[in-house]
Amino acid sequence: MSTSPAGRGIIIEGMRKRYGEGDTAVDALKDVNMVVQPGEVVGLIGPSGSGKTTLLKCLGAVIEPSAGRMTLGNNTIFDNGWMIKDLRALRRDNIGFVFQAPYLIPFLDVTDNVALLPMLAGLSNNESRQRAVELLGALDVAHRAKAMPSELSGGEQQRVAIARALVNKPPVILADEPTAPLDSERAMSVVRILNQMAQQYQTAIIVVTHDEKIIPTFKRIYHIRDGSTHEEAGEGRAFD
Amino acid sequence: MISLAGRDVLHAWGKFVFTGVGLGLLIGVTLTMAGVYRGMVDDAKVLLNNSGADLWVVQKDTLGPYAEPSSLYDDVYRSILGMPGVARAANVTYLTMQVRQHNRDVRAMVVGIVPDGPGVPGYLMAGRQISRSHYEAVADIATGFKLGQVIRIRRNNYTVVGLTRRMVSSGGDPMVFIPLKDAQEAQFLKDNDAIISQRNRTSANPAFNQPGAPDLLNAVIDSQSSNPYVNAVLVQIKPGYSAEQVAEPVRRWKRLQVYTREQMEEILVAKLIATSSKQIGMFLVILAIVSAAIVAFIIYTLTMGKIREIAVLKLIGTRNRTIASMIMQQAVGLGLIGFIVGKISATIWAPMFPKYVLLEPGDALRGFIAVVIICILASVLAIRAALKVDPAEAIGG
Ligand SMILES: Nc1ncnc2c1ncn2[C@@H]1O[C@H](COP(=O)(O)OP(=O)(O)OP(=O)(O)O)[C@@H](O)[C@H]1O
Ligand SMILES: [Mg+2]
């Protein structure tokens, strides 16, 4: 089993990221400091080009930060260099991704889109599918379990993507504008689900968003401007 | 773990199957080309087997009678009969020509045989062997002639009394067997005007037309209008003798060339159809390259169409090995469909070819292995591209 205990959530200290070198170098992240507790959903907002996606990519271990420290769950994964060799296994077991577009695998049905991750982690097909179906039930899309992604509505696809992000019970979920293509009702339901899941599985969740409708739901918000983060209290408005 | 390759193929099976069928027709052509070559070799072997001969005696310094013209006096066989180890010997002539039946012409190799001698076709599909020494014929079924039909060779008519199969010359022309005497005449025959004018010229020559010797002129005219030549002597040897044992003295004493069956096979396969086989080999090489290019191109295109999915698979932790094997399995799957389609289509169209096409299981197996290897190599390009995909692309901007 690859379930990792939620550990210490997400801790980022003094992270910097520079793209390129010399005259054309871009300092996308200059000083990022963030803490997300297990079970907490925080918002990350900032103007275009401020470094939000770059931050998620660093956290998601798909690009290498230039400096700083990152802790995910129980592991310090980066300390001025990767502390873990197998980044793909790290992603598979520790990080769930939700994107603006759901990016489901078009040739797998809904169940297998979700079940693929536990399968990749070495679980049997049956066990993996059982887990997938359970989660799909929790996310209210169990009735579409046998459908192909192209047959789903945008909201349904996004919920399947969330199920996929959750299925390995990672300590961390990174969501990049997960509600952008959804109407406000669907958007709210996605945020509600993320909050429920955070509590249920003690997951630390970062949601990058521009979406005015959902910003008031965060208890804490990080603003990022010119590559530096500033913490702010959010409204933490309850869901209806 | 589920098969990603299989699921992807099922999802886009139309594209996949159409490509596989296209590739399959190409593979079918390749298998057929190999079959054409095998057919030629097999025809040569059947020709030799059915000839009923152990030795071919031909003109000195020639590769006759199939590969080069050869000409012997028709009484040579008598002296060969007296050589140790010779059981039977008979003259034979070969002449490729047009044979008329009603109002159609068939290109055939007319073989003059001694009825009952070595050289009569070994196996008849229908009818009987030639029993009279004139005007009967045994034809290969590939000529399209039927039993009882009358065919015309030069100026004489022959009745088809028997049918053979797979008796074709190395050039692929079906054989028509006729009695040796008729065949010699056909080889030599001049038209009537030519005979009359030659007779007149001979009669006008005082050296032949001497008042005191009237038989001389007739003898000269006779010798002018008959043909004392044949192309080869077919020899069967007595049990207990080896072919070479019998051949050697004939070569030495009779100043003739003698070929054993192995040597004859070597001449037919290595000399006569050597150019054709190179030609076919060249085709096979080109077809293999074209197939490889097609598979590579298709697999590359299919993979490029999945870049985003591959980025997502990598992001969520799929190993390179899994992704590479997905692509390779698809390439091999494409090859499999292609091979099956190719094998079936080759089997369907092989009998329609005018010449014998022999599809050997061994060639099919070699073809199959080649297809699999080609597909694996062809997938390398796509795999390299897929492994370069950056998982960050899945996250986007
Ligand atoms: N691969 C790269 N190479 C060089 N510069 C880059 C690269 N990716 C991003 N940048 C630069 O880094 C800065 C931060 O980009 P990033 O994509 O993180 O912004 P963002 O906050 O996600 O913006 P948006 O809200 O528009 O998505 C920008 O100035 C961008 O031009
Ligand atoms: Mg962005």
Side-chain angles (χ1 to χ4, degrees):
Chain A
M1 272 285 288
S2 55
T3 321
S4 316
R8 294 187 282 157
I10 304 169
I11 304 170
I12 306 173
E13 295 160 283
M15 190 165 71
R16 290 192 279 124
K17 171 65 187 175
R18 166 177 286 190
Y19 287 112
E21 272 168 30
D23 292 347
T24 56
V26 178
D27 284 307
L29 300 176
K30 290 171 189 148
D31 183 24
V32 173
N33 297 283
M34 281 178 86
V35 174
V36 186
Q37 300 295 338
E40 191 185 21
V41 182
V42 303
L44 178 65
I45 56 183
S48 181
S50 55
K52 302 182 295 292
T53 301
T54 303
L55 174 52
L56 283 199
K57 283 179 180 173
C58 288
L59 257 179
V62 292
I63 61 174
E64 185 172 352
S66 306
R69 256 165 80 90
M70 289 193 293
T71 301
L72 293 189
N74 284 320
N75 307 313
T76 298
I77 62 163
F78 189 88
D79 190 352
N80 290 313
W82 292 114
M83 307 295 285
I84 283 175
K85 242 176 148 183
D86 190 348
L87 295 179
R88 245 178 247 196
L90 169 80
R91 291 200 292 267
R92 184 188 68 207
D93 298 334
N94 294 283
I95 306 167
F97 293 93
V98 182
F99 320 107
Q100 174 172 343
Y103 288 158
L104 300 176
I105 307 293
F107 52 81
L108 298 179
D109 67 16
V110 164
T111 308
D112 283 345
N113 255 286
V114 178
L116 182 62
L117 272 99
M119 287 178 191
L120 288 173
L123 248 62
S124 77
N125 289 2
N126 273 343
E127 224 174 317
S128 304
R129 290 204 176 108
Q130 212 173 319
R131 265 212 217 174
V133 170
E134 253 169 57
L135 260 177
L136 290 170
L139 289 164
D140 223 13
V141 274
H143 59 293
R144 306 295 281 145
K146 287 285 150 239
M148 298 306 280
S150 59
E151 301 161 357
L152 301 184
S153 75
E156 286 169 335
Q157 288 186 23
Q158 198 57 293
R159 277 179 279 163
V160 174
I162 292 172
R164 180 174 68 185
L166 287 166
V167 69
N168 273 352
K169 301 189 181 131
V172 170
I173 287 182
L174 306 176
D176 197 358
E177 312 219 14
T179 61
L182 305 178
D183 61 35
S184 59
E185 201 175 315
R186 294 268 146 69
M188 287 310 279
S189 102
V190 164
V191 179
R192 185 184 313 121
I193 286 165
L194 286 174
N195 274 282
Q196 277 170 8
M197 296 296 145
Q199 301 220 320
Q200 193 171 334
Y201 299 112
Q202 288 300 297
T203 315
I205 300 180
I206 297 179
V207 179
V208 169
T209 190
H210 281 123
D211 193 339
E212 297 294 342
K213 303 180 291 286
I214 67 167
I215 291 174
T217 67
F218 298 114
K219 292 198 185 76
R220 284 198 308 132
I221 292 173
Y222 282 90
H223 274 276
I224 181 164
R225 228 169 265 116
D226 279 343
S228 302
T229 44
H230 312 275
E231 193 191 331
E232 221 175 67
E235 293 176 36
R237 196 181 289 168
F239 300 99
D240 1 270
Chain B
M1 186 64 201
I2 47 176
S3 157
L4 292 175
R7 295 303 187 83
D8 186 24
V9 168
L10 285 182
H11 187 244
W13 63 270
K15 206 192 291 179
F16 207 76
V17 165
F18 277 123
T19 318
V21 168
L23 179 68
L25 295 177
L26 202 63
I27 292 173
V29 172
T30 312
L31 291 176
T32 310
M33 293 306 292
V36 166
Y37 172 71
R38 297 289 178 197
M40 290 199 297
V41 171
D42 199 63
D43 273 347
K45 288 187 179 153
V46 169
L47 171 67
L48 298 182
N49 283 341
N50 288 355
S51 68
D54 299 315
L55 298 176
W56 282 259
V57 179
V58 300
Q59 185 180 345
K60 194 166 167 56
D61 297 329
T62 71
L63 293 172
Y66 308 117
E68 282 182 350
S70 147
S71 169
L72 302 173
Y73 279 112
D74 59 5
D75 55 3
V76 163
Y77 84 97
R78 285 204 196 95
S79 56
I80 292 172
L81 267 178
M83 302 293 292
V86 173
R88 301 209 295 166
N91 288 325
V92 65
T93 65
Y94 300 95
L95 184 62
T96 300
M97 59 194 300
Q98 299 296 118
V99 175
R100 265 195 100 67
Q101 190 268 318
H102 197 51
N103 50 13
R104 79 192 170 103
D105 260 348
V106 176
R107 187 166 184 77
M109 181 182 249
V110 174
V111 184
I113 52 166
V114 178
D116 300 334
V120 299
Y123 169 78
L124 293 185
M125 289 186 70
R128 57 169 175 82
Q129 300 281 5
I130 295 167
S131 61
R132 292 194 284 154
S133 52
H134 287 292
Y135 311 129
E136 286 186 345
V138 169
D140 191 85
I141 189 113
T143 55
F145 300 152
K146 306 269 172 347
L147 280 185
Q149 277 182 341
V150 173
I151 58 176
R152 192 173 180 86
I153 296 171
R154 288 285 167 92
R155 270 211 310 272
N156 294 324
N157 288 331
Y158 298 79
T159 307
V160 177
V161 298
L163 293 175
T164 62
R165 62 183 290 267
R166 305 253 351 251
M167 293 296 287
V168 296
S169 74
S170 51
D173 301 317
M175 292 186 169
V176 174
F177 297 85
I178 61 173
L180 181 75
K181 286 265 152 38
D182 293 349
Q184 276 179 294
E185 196 190 326
Q187 252 183 1
F188 187 70
L189 194 67
K190 296 171 178 162
D191 62 67
N192 283 338
D193 287 346
I195 293 174
I196 290 167
S197 78
Q198 186 180 41
R199 205 172 276 172
N200 290 341
R201 248 183 295 132
T202 311
S203 314
N205 187 336
F208 300 135
N209 199 354
Q210 291 176 5
D215 290 343
L216 176 64
L217 177 63
N218 285 339
V220 169
I221 287 175
D222 262 4
S223 83
Q224 280 175 341
S225 50
S226 74
N227 170 15
Y229 295 104
V230 293
N231 300 119
V233 175
L234 303 177
V235 175
Q236 286 175 350
I237 59 181
K238 286 181 182 155
Y241 286 85
S242 78
E244 198 46 44
Q245 224 177 338
V246 180
E248 215 287 316
V250 178
R251 274 188 209 119
R252 192 142 40 92
W253 296 111
K254 301 296 170 194
R255 297 173 177 281
L256 296 168
Q257 181 59 272
V258 185
Y259 293 112
T260 63
R261 190 173 288 196
E262 287 75 44
Q263 290 166 334
M264 211 56 189
E265 199 172 306
E266 165 75 14
I267 288 173
L268 282 180
V269 174
K271 301 238 159 51
L272 218 52
I273 56 183
T275 317
S276 310
S277 80
K278 279 186 204 131
Q279 189 102 337
I280 287 170
M282 197 59 214
F283 258 112
L284 291 181
V285 169
I286 291 173
L287 285 170
I289 293 172
V290 171
S291 314
I294 290 181
V295 177
F297 176 74
I298 296 298
I299 291 296
Y300 187 79
T301 315
L302 287 177
T303 306
M304 288 301 104
K306 288 196 293 270
I307 284 299
R308 212 192 59 193
E309 287 79 15
I310 289 171
V312 173
L313 284 171
K314 281 186 167 183
L315 184 71
I316 64 179
T318 313
R319 307 228 159 265
N320 278 345
R321 203 184 331 124
T322 313
I323 292 169
S325 91
M326 169 175 97
I327 294 168
M328 191 174 289
Q329 282 171 33
Q330 291 186 341
V332 172
L334 201 59
L336 269 177
I337 296 180
F339 181 79
I340 293 168
V341 171
K343 184 78 184 91
I344 292 173
S345 47
T347 309
I348 290 173
W349 68 45
M352 302 177 195
F353 278 72
K355 284 178 73 170
Y356 183 56
V357 176
L358 174 60
L359 301 173
E360 283 193 353
D363 285 342
L365 183 70
R366 275 184 283 277
F368 177 73
I369 293 169
V371 166
V372 172
I373 292 174
I374 283 174
C375 287
I376 289 175
L377 291 181
S379 64
V380 167
L381 209 63
I383 288 174
R384 278 183 43 161
L387 295 190
K388 276 202 203 119
V389 173
D390 186 353
E393 275 177 42
I395 296 180

